[in-house]
Amino acid sequence: MGIESRPRAGVFHVRLRGQVCDEEFSCDRLGGAAACVGAGACRMCGCRVGFDAGHGSQWGHDLLSVTLGGGAGEFNTADSMFAMMMIPHHQQAVEMSDMLLGKSGVDQQVMDLAQQIKDAQAPEIDLMQSWLEAWGMSDAGGMDGMDMGDGMMSDGDMAVLESAEGADAARLFLEQMITHHEGAIEMAQAELADGVNPDAIALAQTIVDAQTTEIALMRDLLTQI
């Protein structure tokens, strides 16, 4: 089930519960296309289309995904949401790492981990931004849909980390980054379950593997500091 692009511009074919409906639209972005097609499907087939904002990667049960073909590779709403949400998530991890790297009196193992996180996630930000550009989408507004359930730190959390020094800063960084990584893993697992783009799925698996290993390391480091 899904939406396939056809050679005729502006026409998407929607398969819902075994029915095929054609609906003209003028949108050139995934979100707009989904809205237009969804409206047409409801009008023509009487099916319900909804977005599960709590999960962030699934449409309602009648329209399971919106899948577009094209030169940039097949992708769906799970793929685009993964990139849009993971970019600001990674950006905050880099910011947290930079905060720690700018401090003195911090355990070298924790400093090395912060550098490792920054070196891994900064290129991944660039990669995901390139996907969104190829898909005709923007990463703007990704933070709007995020909350503490995504492992994101609040402004207050970031301020406390910024003001901490020495061993206190190291412990706080580890505690916060464990929570942050757990949120990233949850987001990546949603992409593994619902995504269709091979590159996005591969990155999601990399995030799960790398950050699971880093969580174990951080928990071990907390017993040493």
Side-chain angles (χ1 to χ4, degrees), residues 76-95:
N76 64 9
T77 53
D79 300 314
S80 59
M81 187 63 70
F82 169 69
M84 284 189 290
M85 301 295 275
M86 194 62 78
I87 286 170
H89 202 274
H90 271 27
Q91 287 170 334
Q92 188 178 69
V94 171
E95 183 181 359

Side-chain angles (χ1 to χ4, degrees), residues 64 148 168:
L64 295 181
M148 297 307 103
D168 289 339

